[in-house]
């Protein structure tokens, strides 16, 4: 029988960083990202095996900063995705009902600020919306 067995790992041993976990650690540290031996090994294996690396831990330990540091070390462009989800139908209906209950006939920035809680589920989303110039956003939408 020739070729890999079904489901076998077909990763080439030359894929990923060539200088091993210690070399990857040194290269990450040159970018300013301090990494311990365990994380360097995990990163090395994820790269070598073409597998995702899931990071967890306390706030402000550097999980988010790892991706740009690895991209820099590997001379790769970091791909970003906008993962913000716009309000769905249920949230929109809730907002319309809140506006109706307030007797609103027009939407202005003040009313939008007042009723954000019926549309946005998370405080971070509401804080981000409050940081916007809602008057300009509404004007751009013809409201």
């Amino acid at each position: 029988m020739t070729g890999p067995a079904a489901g076998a790992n077909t990763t080439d041993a030359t894929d990923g960083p060539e200088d091993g976990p210690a070399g990857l650690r040194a290269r990450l540290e040159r970018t300013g990202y301090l990494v311990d031996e365990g994380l360097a090994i995990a990163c090395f294996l994820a790269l070598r095996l073409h597998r995702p690396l899931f990071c967890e831990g306390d706030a402000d330990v550097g999980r988010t900063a790892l991706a740009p540091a690895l991209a820099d070390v590997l001379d790769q462009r970091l791909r970003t995705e906008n993962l913000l989800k716009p309000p769905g139908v249920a949230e929109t209906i809730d907002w319309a009902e809140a506006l109706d209950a307030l007797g609103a006939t027009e939407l202005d920035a003040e009313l939008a600020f007042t009723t954000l809680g019926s549309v946005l589920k998370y405080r971070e989303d509401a804080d981000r919306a409050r940081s916007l110039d809602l008057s300009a956003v509404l004007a751009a939408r013809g409201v």
Side-chain angles (χ1 to χ4, degrees):
M1 179 173 172
T2 61
N9 185 349
T10 59
T11 302
D12 185 345
T14 62
D15 290 345
E18 297 176 8
D19 47 359
L24 179 60
R25 180 180 184 182
R27 290 166 43 199
L28 281 168
E29 289 180 352
R30 282 194 294 272
T31 71
Y33 188 86
L34 300 178
V35 59
D36 66 12
E37 182 181 18
L39 183 56
I41 292 169
C43 290
F44 174 79
L45 290 173
L47 291 166
R48 177 63 61 101
L49 299 174
H50 299 278
R51 304 300 302 165
L53 178 65
F54 295 99
C55 300
E56 65 179 14
D58 295 330
D60 299 321
V61 296
R63 293 183 313 270
T64 304
L66 178 59
L70 277 170
D72 187 39
V73 161
L74 300 170
D75 195 27
Q76 296 289 315
R77 183 179 64 85
L78 185 63
R79 183 178 66 196
T80 60
E81 299 292 329
N82 182 357
L83 300 178
L84 297 176
K85 177 184 161 287
V89 173
E91 292 90 353
T92 305
I93 291 171
D94 290 345
W95 195 22
E97 288 175 350
L99 293 171
D100 186 52
L102 292 171
T105 57
E106 291 187 18
L107 182 62
D108 59 17
E110 182 180 345
L111 186 56
F113 277 128
T114 304
T115 57
L116 277 176
S118 63
V119 181
L120 303 173
K121 294 179 183 178
Y122 302 105
R123 180 180 305 182
E124 296 82 14
D125 293 338
D127 291 343
R128 189 173 20 254
R130 286 187 180 93
S131 72
L132 299 173
D133 179 4
L134 285 183
S135 297
V137 172
L138 293 172
R141 299 283 189 251
V143 178

